[in-house]
Amino acid sequence: MIGFRKKEDIVDGSQKEKKAKNPARRKKRIKQGIVLIVVLALAGGFIVHSKQKADVPPQVMATTVTRGDVETMVSTSGVVESEISQVYYAPMAAKVSDLNVELGDAVKAGDVLLAYDTEDLEFKQKSDALDAQANENSYQSSIAESNKQENIYNESTAQLANIEYLIDFQKDLIKQFQYYVEDEKTERKLKLYDERYRLNRRINNLNVQAYIEDTEGVHVSQAQAMNELEEINQKIEELEDDKELTEIEREIVTQQEVLADLEEMRDELKSDKNSSENAILDSYKKKELAAIAEKSRIAEQQAQAHLEEALAGIKADFNGIITELDINEGYVTEAGSKLMKLESSDDVRVNISLSKYDLSKVELGQKAEVEISGHTYEGTVSKINRMAEKNDAGTRLVAAEVHIENPDDNIYLGVEGKVKIMSQKSENTLMVPIAAVNTDQAGDFCYVVKDGVLERREITAGLSSEDSIEIVEGLEEGDIVLTDTSMELTEGMQIEPLIM
């Protein structure tokens, strides 16, 4: 036992007298003394206890080999993006009367994003409708008139053929009459001229005979011959006034009048034919008029469509976020100018990059866990590019996409998403914590405690997750393996495992 001499034994009387005058300080020194005694006692006890435990095996953290599922994961991160986007363009030139969204707004399918001032569009639609009606009426009128003139032309052409036939027939008829009259007169004249010639010769002979023989018989014969000559001359004169021939000549005049009427009709038909022919539209002119009418109809339809679109406004095609906005309220759009961009919030993905080490573990269709802003979602590997690209550090990475299966309103486009891809899985397999597997030049091994004795057991490891490793060979279910190898361990040493 450790003893202490009292302090009072070594102080003189004057000191005792001084301490008596300061009781608080005296109590403090007593406490300090007690603390010192306790510390020395504990130290002595520890020394004794250490000597007693010199032969006790060390306690080391351990666990047992169990069966379970080991799933390999590829952990990475990427940017959340939409899989579907729609850029809206102005369908017409019009003034924006109401802009109902701002950049970054969330909208629902069917929401009116902007509305147009339709006053000018309504005026244009009415104007184009009137132009279309006027051009259509003009086209129909021109076609009807052309068809009418074409009928006149066809009728005139057909009648002209008949009239020309009748004229030719009439001319032939008149010629026949004329030939008949002329032939009849000629024939009769020739006969009378022949008779007169014979009578003149006879009279000449009778005159010669009378000169030679002045007899009554000669004189009678001369008288008879002269009478006959007078009768022939009378017939020649009367031939021009022959009633039969006169009737025929009158008929010729009548037929000539008919011919004149036919020729007049022919001239009128020719005039009608020529004028109608000029009024008939050719195929090119018809196509031109049809094109003008069609163009007006298209302009009217387009104006009507623009008016209807303006009245309906621009509506969201799907739920999403306004990620680009190129206009403001009061802005006058030009046809085809860009208005805004809407990206879907229902169809989203995380764009990730895979290293050459992760690429072999990832396949299309694998399930994934996606964490975005503290919220967890289910995902599926939907795309893996077939080429690698260098990043800013010069490392070649393969781009991939993970589709989010259950998006909600907590998803924000453009933020970071953490992704865990469940690449491979072994079910109901032997497994140990990662801390239980050690590696050296000989390969993978575990420290196994069997009957309190430490063994080194070579193993074949399989899949590994964040906290466990599959044991393909080397261990059995229920084996005790060390998970803490921080102390110096030697095979064959005594170990007391602390199984957790």
Side-chain angles (χ1 to χ4, degrees):
M1 184 175 179
I2 299 175
F4 295 92
R5 238 171 32 155
K6 291 184 179 181
K7 201 90 171 173
E8 291 83 351
D9 295 336
I10 59 173
V11 295
D12 57 14
S14 62
Q15 286 175 328
K16 286 182 180 180
E17 184 179 0
K18 189 174 182 181
K19 284 180 181 271
K21 291 181 181 180
N22 193 353
R25 187 173 181 182
R26 183 169 178 268
K27 289 181 180 179
K28 183 177 180 181
R29 290 184 177 276
I30 292 172
K31 290 180 181 179
Q32 291 176 344
I34 294 172
V35 170
L36 180 60
I37 292 171
V38 171
V39 169
L40 292 174
L42 288 174
F46 178 77
I47 294 171
V48 173
H49 182 72
S50 297
K51 289 181 179 179
Q52 292 175 345
K53 284 204 168 184
D55 298 328
V56 176
Q59 295 179 334
V60 183
M61 302 298 293
T63 188
T64 57
V65 178
T66 59
R67 286 190 176 272
D69 298 339
V70 177
E71 193 167 16
T72 300
M73 291 191 203
V74 174
S75 297
T76 183
S77 63
V79 178
V80 179
E81 292 185 359
S82 177
E83 293 177 323
I84 299 176
S85 64
Q86 174 69 45
V87 178
Y88 293 91
Y89 297 93
M92 80 297 286
K95 182 180 179 180
V96 177
S97 60
D98 297 298
L99 183 60
N100 301 323
V101 294
E102 294 181 356
L103 189 64
D105 280 357
V107 298
K108 297 294 184 182
D111 284 354
V112 177
L113 307 179
L114 67 82
Y116 288 104
D117 183 343
T118 60
E119 182 178 356
D120 291 341
L121 294 173
E122 289 174 356
F123 175 80
K124 188 175 188 308
Q125 189 276 330
K126 291 179 181 178
S127 176
D128 288 349
L130 292 174
D131 288 343
Q133 186 63 47
N135 287 328
E136 179 65 23
N137 292 340
S138 176
Y139 170 71
Q140 294 298 339
S141 175
S142 298
I143 293 298
E145 181 62 25
S146 177
N147 292 338
K148 176 183 175 182
Q149 295 299 325
E150 188 172 0
N151 290 334
I152 293 174
Y153 174 82
N154 293 333
E155 291 176 2
S156 299
T157 302
Q159 291 179 8
L160 271 173
N162 294 331
I163 292 296
E164 293 288 359
Y165 173 79
L166 291 175
I167 288 174
D168 292 340
F169 175 81
Q170 196 69 18
K171 286 181 178 180
D172 289 340
L173 179 61
I174 291 171
K175 284 181 180 180
Q176 289 176 8
F177 281 132
Q178 289 174 338
Y179 291 156
Y180 174 78
V181 171
E182 291 175 359
D183 291 346
E184 188 67 21
K185 283 184 177 181
T186 301
E187 185 178 356
R188 289 182 184 182
K189 283 181 179 180
L190 289 174
K191 287 181 179 179
L192 291 172
Y193 289 157
D194 185 56
E195 290 179 5
R196 188 171 64 178
Y197 173 75
R198 289 195 305 270
L199 284 172
N200 284 328
R201 289 190 64 184
R202 181 181 173 193
I203 290 171
N204 289 331
N205 291 331
L206 289 173
N207 288 335
V208 172
Q209 187 178 357
Y211 178 76
I212 298 173
E213 300 179 14
D214 188 11
T215 61
E216 184 178 357
V218 172
H219 290 294
V220 170
S221 296
Q222 283 180 326
Q224 289 178 344
M226 292 300 293
N227 289 335
E228 291 178 3
L229 180 60
E230 186 178 352
E231 288 179 1
I232 289 174
N233 288 332
Q234 182 68 31
K235 286 181 179 181
I236 290 174
E237 291 178 2
E238 290 177 353
L239 185 62
E240 298 297 331
D241 297 327
D242 185 88
K243 289 183 179 180
E244 181 183 355
L245 294 178
T246 300
E247 290 296 327
I248 294 175
E249 287 177 343
R250 288 176 181 173
E251 182 64 25
I252 290 173
V253 172
T254 301
Q255 295 302 324
Q256 286 176 336
E257 291 175 353
V258 172
L259 177 61
D261 291 340
L262 290 173
E263 289 176 340
E264 184 179 357
M265 290 177 61
R266 178 193 62 187
D267 294 340
E268 291 178 355
L269 288 172
K270 281 185 176 181
S271 177
D272 291 343
K273 178 182 177 181
N274 292 334
S275 61
S276 61
E277 184 178 15
N278 293 330
I280 295 173
L281 299 176
D282 60 28
S283 59
Y284 297 104
K285 189 63 177 178
K286 288 181 180 179
K287 289 179 180 179
E288 179 185 353
L289 293 175
I292 293 173
E294 180 64 19
K295 184 178 179 181
S296 297
R297 283 195 296 270
I298 292 173
E300 178 198 8
Q301 293 170 358
Q302 189 176 49
Q304 180 65 34
H306 286 168
L307 178 58
E308 292 175 357
E309 288 178 318
L311 290 171
I314 300 296
K315 295 182 179 180
D317 292 329
F318 43 79
N319 300 337
I321 310 297
I322 301 297
T323 57
E324 295 181 21
L325 190 61
D326 297 87
I327 58 169
N328 49 44
E329 196 167 298
Y331 181 83
V332 178
T333 64
E334 294 293 334
S337 61
K338 185 179 177 182
L339 301 175
M340 63 186 72
K341 183 177 182 180
L342 174 65
E343 298 191 45
S344 173
S345 56
D346 291 338
D347 298 277
V348 290
R349 65 176 179 241
V350 179
N351 291 338
I352 61 174
S353 297
L354 301 174
S355 68
K356 62 181 180 180
Y357 304 104
D358 293 333
L359 186 59
S360 61
K361 305 175 185 176
V362 179
E363 297 177 358
L364 288 175
Q366 288 177 338
K367 296 301 179 181
E369 181 182 285
V370 181
E371 182 180 340
I372 302 172
S373 302
H375 299 274
T376 303
Y377 304 92
E378 298 175 0
T380 303
V381 178
S382 58
K383 181 180 179 181
I384 302 173
N385 281 2
R386 303 297 296 178
M387 61 175 289
E389 295 182 357
K390 288 184 178 180
N391 61 8
D392 294 339
T395 303
R396 290 190 176 275
L397 301 174
V398 174
E401 297 175 3
V402 175
H403 171 74
I404 298 176
E405 303 289 349
N406 56 335
D408 56 22
D409 293 339
N410 295 312
I411 288 183
Y412 294 84
L413 301 180
V415 301
E416 182 187 43
K418 296 180 180 179
V419 179
K420 294 180 181 179
I421 301 172
M422 288 61 172
S423 61
Q424 295 175 301
K425 185 176 183 180
S426 290
E427 298 180 347
N428 194 30
T429 187
L430 293 176
M431 53 187 286
V432 296
I434 289 178
V437 177
N438 306 280
T439 304
D440 61 11
Q441 293 180 348
D444 296 332
F445 66 94
C446 290
Y447 285 113
V448 179
V449 179
K450 187 173 183 181
D451 299 329
V453 179
L454 186 64
E455 295 181 8
R456 173 187 168 120
R457 189 84 56 84
E458 305 295 332
I459 65 163
T460 301
L463 299 181
S464 62
S465 64
E466 291 183 337
D467 52 11
S468 300
I469 294 181
E470 176 189 16
I471 302 300
V472 178
E473 187 178 358
L475 296 178
E476 295 181 358
E477 185 176 0
D479 284 349
I480 299 173
V481 293
L482 298 185
T483 57
D484 180 9
T485 58
S486 58
M487 65 178 294
E488 185 177 350
L489 298 173
T490 304
E491 190 174 8
M493 68 183 294
Q494 296 291 320
I495 292 291
E496 182 182 350
L498 294 178
I499 300 175
M500 301 298 293

